[in-house]
C-alpha cells in the first residue's frame, strides 16, 4: 500500500458516503433501478435528462441520457471550447445472477417453480437457500416501461439435504439447468401466472405487459460487519460500488470551480456478458454522447479528434483483495488489502488497459485527494479477468486506466468490502474529474 503524502486538495467524502452506499445498493436490485436511482440523484443536483431523439443544445450545465440499464452523465462548464477534453469515469450496472426466462412458469412434484437462466458468472453456491425477491423492467403494450420491485421473500433455490448427498462437503456440484430453478409456491403451474402476479404487484391492468427483463435478487439488506464495523457486506458491489462513487464524484466535480475538462460518468450494462450491446461499453452510447456534445457546442470533426486525443478514462471496477484463507491464489508480491485504498489494475497482456503513463494519471489523482492506493496483478499461474477498460481504449482511442476497489467474495450473492474504501474511491474520482 502506498500512502499519499500530498495535502488533499479535494476530499469531500467521509464515512457518510459509505452509509449512503448501503442505501444505493438497496435501491438498485437491477441495472434499470440503478440508473433510475442515479438519475434521481443527478436531478436533485440540477442535471437535466436529454432525449436521444431530440436535438441537443450546447448550453453549459449538467446533463445525462438514459438507455435501458445504462446512463451517461456529463457536466459542461461555462466557456469551454469545442475541443475541450473529457475526463471519464467508466463503470457498469450489471451483476451476475438469475434472470427469468421467456416462459417462466413450470411445476415439478407439487412445487410451482420459476424458470431462470444464468446471467454472467455467478458464484453458484451462494444462491442456495437465500430469500429472493423479484425485480426488473416491465415493457407494456403501449410502448412504455415500468420498474417492478417485489422486495420480500418470494423465491428460493433449496439445496439438497446433506442426508441425501453425503459427499457434499467434499465437493458440491450443481447442474446449471436442474439445480438452480427456484420454488415460489405449491400446486400446478399455469402459463402466464408469474407475469400476471408481476402486473398486480406493479398496479397494472391484466394483460398490459408484453415483455419483461426480470431477475431474482437477495432481499437481505446491506449491512456493516465486523468487530468495529470495518466491513460492509452486501449484494452487487461488483459494480454498483463504482457507479455510486461515480455519481457522487460527478456531482461534486460539477460544483467545483477548478474544471479544465468536461467530467463524465459512463455507467454501462452487460459488462458481465462481454459488453456487446447497445447499452454496453462496446456499443455506440458513449461515442454518440461525445460526438453530439462536441457538435452541439459548434465543434467539428477536427475538434472532436483533438478532444479525444487529450481525454482520459478511469475504468473503475472491483478487484480481488488478498484472501486470508487462500493467499496462494494471489501474486506473492501484490496483496491488495481491504481499506487499503483504490487499486491500480495492471496486466501486460491488455486484459487491463493500464500502462505507465496511465499509472501517473491515477497517482496524481490519489495524491491530490490524499488517499492511499495499491496495485493489483494476477498470479501468473491463473487467468486474468478483464473489464470495460480495454474496450473503451480500443473503441474510442482514449487513454484508459483500470482501477477499482479490493473486495472479497466477488460474484457472490453477498460480497465484502471495507468501510473506508467507498469514500477513498469517491475522493480519488473527484480529484481525477477535476483534473
Amino acid at each position: 500500500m502506498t500512502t499519499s503524502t500530498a495535502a488533499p486538495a479535494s476530499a469531500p467524502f467521509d464515512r457518510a458516503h459509505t452509509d449512503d452506499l448501503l442505501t444505493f445498493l438497496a435501491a438498485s436490485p437491477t441495472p434499470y433501478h440503478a440508473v433510475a436511482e442515479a438519475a434521481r440523484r443527478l436531478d436533485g443536483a440540477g442535471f437535466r435528462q436529454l432525449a436521444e431523439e431530440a436535438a441537443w443544445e450546447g448550453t453549459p450545465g449538467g446533463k445525462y441520457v438514459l438507455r435501458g440499464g445504462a446512463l451517461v452523465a456529463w457536466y459542461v462548464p461555462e466557456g469551454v471550447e469545442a475541443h475541450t477534453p473529457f475526463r471519464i469515469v467508466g463503470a457498469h450496472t450489471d451483476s451476475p445472477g438469475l434472470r427469468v426466462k421467456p416462459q417462466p412458469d413450470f411445476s415439478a412434484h407439487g412445487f410451482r417453480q420459476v424458470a431462470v437462466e444464468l446471467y454472467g458468472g455467478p458464484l453458484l453456491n451462494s444462491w442456495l437457500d437465500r430469500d429472493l425477491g423479484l425485480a426488473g423492467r416491465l415493457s407494456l403494450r403501449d410502448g412504455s416501461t415500468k420498474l417492478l420491485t417485489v422486495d420480500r421473500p418470494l423465491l428460493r433455490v433449496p439445496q439438497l439435504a446433506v442426508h441425501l448427498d453425503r459427499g457434499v462437503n467434499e465437493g458440491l456440484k450443481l447442474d446449471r439447468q436442474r439445480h438452480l430453478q427456484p420454488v415460489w409456491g405449491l400446486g400446478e403451474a399455469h402459463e402466464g401466472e408469474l407475469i400476471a402476479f408481476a402486473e398486480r404487484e406493479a398496479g397494472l391492468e391484466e394483460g398490459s405487459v408484453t415483455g419483461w427483463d426480470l431477475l431474482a435478487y437477495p432481499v437481505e439488506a446491506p449491512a456493516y460487519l465486523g468487530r468495529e464495523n470495518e466491513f460492509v457486506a452486501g449484494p452487487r458491489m461488483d459494480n454498483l460500488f463504482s457507479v455510486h462513487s461515480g455519481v457522487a464524484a460527478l456531482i461534486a466535480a460539477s460544483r467545483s470551480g477548478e474544471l479544465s475538462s468536461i467530467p463524465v460518468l459512463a455507467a454501462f450494462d452487460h459488462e458481465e456478458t462481454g459488453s456487446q450491446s447497445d447499452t454496453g461499453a462496446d456499443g455506440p452510447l458513449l461515442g454518440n454522447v461525445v460526438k453530439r456534445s462536441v457538435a452541439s457546442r459548434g465543434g467539428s470533426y477536427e475538434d472532436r479528434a483533438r478532444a479525444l486525443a487529450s481525454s482520459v478514462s478511469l475504468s473503475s471496477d472491483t478487484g480481488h483483495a488478498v484472501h486470508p484463507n487462500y493467499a496462494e491464489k494471489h501474486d506473492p508480491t501484490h496483496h491488495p488489502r481491504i481499506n487499503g485504498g483504490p487499486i491500480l489494475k495492471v496486466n501486460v497482456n491488455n486484459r487491463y488497459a493500464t500502462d505507465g503513463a496511465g499509472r501517473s494519471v491515477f497517482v496524481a489523482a490519489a495524491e491530490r485527494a490524499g488517499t492511499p492506493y495499491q496495485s493489483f496483478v494476477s498470479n501468473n499461474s491463473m487467468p486474468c479477468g478483464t473489464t470495460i477498460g480495454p474496450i473503451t481504449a480500443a473503441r474510442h482511442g482514449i487513454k484508459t486506466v483500470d482501477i477499482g476497489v479490493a473486495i472479497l467474495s466477488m460474484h457472490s450473492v453477498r460480497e465484502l468490502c471495507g468501510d473506508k474504501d467507498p469514500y477513498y474511491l469517491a475522493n480519488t474520482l473527484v480529484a481525477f474529474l477535476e483534473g
Side-chain angles (χ1 to χ4, degrees), residues 135-172:
R137 178 180 65 174
L138 301 173
S139 298
L140 310 186
R141 194 175 299 279
D142 63 5
S144 64
T145 61
K146 184 166 185 177
L147 295 181
L148 170 73
T149 310
V150 184
D151 192 28
R152 65 177 187 272
L154 178 69
L155 307 162
R156 188 178 178 93
V157 182
Q159 187 172 356
L160 185 64
V162 65
H163 313 78
L164 304 178
D165 186 5
R166 293 291 184 178
V168 65
N169 290 324
E170 279 68 57
L172 174 65

Side-chain angles (χ1 to χ4, degrees), residues 320-328 330 334-338 406-408:
H320 302 294
V322 61
H323 197 300
N325 300 335
Y326 301 91
E328 72 280 1
H330 299 264
H334 293 75
H335 284 173
R337 298 194 175 191
I338 279 180
I407 68 170
L408 293 177

